[in-house]
């Protein structure tokens, strides 16, 4: 019998950044499987002080919400760069390339999106270069 709820501490979710060789710049924990979530996705992202995400990414059909819960930094959205502070929320439409950069204290984010297994998206290494 399945439960009507799932409780999980985000820090107990596997760090995918470390798993894929990005541990020098950030941590990212995708919790949808750990939560048994069929319709929603959530991730916890921590960008280390002064570090930039080593790739940009976008989704074909998924809108994402990012909530800054600690630190500060910037996000590049296509050609725009936006400063971020604690409790800022950024909505990113499908098709918009994005990457994050932490300020001096690091940047801590929660990201929310619907689950769409058929959304392929795109990852571009070294997308944000000055």
């Amino acid at each position: 019998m399945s439960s009507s709820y799932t409780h999980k501490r985000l820090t107990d979710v596997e760090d995918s950044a470390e798993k894929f060789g990005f541990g020098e710049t950030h941590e990212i924990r995708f919790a949808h499987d750990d939560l048994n979530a069929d319709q929603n996705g959530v991730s916890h992202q921590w960008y280390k002080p002064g570090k930039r995400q080593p790739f940009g990414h976008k989704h074909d059909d998924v809108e994402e919400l990012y909530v800054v819960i600690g630190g500060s930094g910037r996000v590049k959205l296509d050609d725009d760069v936006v400063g971020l502070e604690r409790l800022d929320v950024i909505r990113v439409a499908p098709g918009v390339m994005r990457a994050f950069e932490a300020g001096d204290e690091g940047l801590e984010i929660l990201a929310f999106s619907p689950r769409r297994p058929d959304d392929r998206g795109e990852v571009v290494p070294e997308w944000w270069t000055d």
Side-chain angles (χ1 to χ4, degrees), residues 7 46 50 56 71 96 104 106 120:
H7 174 240
W46 163 248
V96 175
D104 294 339
R120 297 176 191 207

Side-chain angles (χ1 to χ4, degrees), residues 16-89:
S16 292
E18 183 69 31
K19 177 180 170 182
F20 292 108
F22 299 115
E24 180 181 309
T25 56
H26 65 289
E27 297 175 10
I28 187 164
R29 301 169 193 282
F30 297 102
H32 51 272
D33 286 341
D34 293 75
L35 292 169
N36 301 310
D38 295 327
Q39 299 177 17
N40 297 292
V42 61
S43 67
H44 177 248
Q45 303 176 24
W46 163 248
Y47 296 91
K48 296 179 180 182
K51 298 291 184 178
R52 180 179 288 168
Q53 194 172 11
F55 54 85
H57 87 280
K58 66 180 179 177
H59 295 276
D60 293 334
D61 298 312
V62 172
E63 175 181 82
E64 289 188 303
L65 296 173
Y66 297 92
V67 181
V68 178
I69 60 171
S72 64
R74 303 184 308 163
V75 60
K76 183 173 182 184
L77 305 159
D78 286 337
D79 294 326
D80 295 332
V81 176
V82 177
L84 297 172
E85 296 180 4
R86 185 176 175 273
L87 297 182
D88 282 353
V89 179

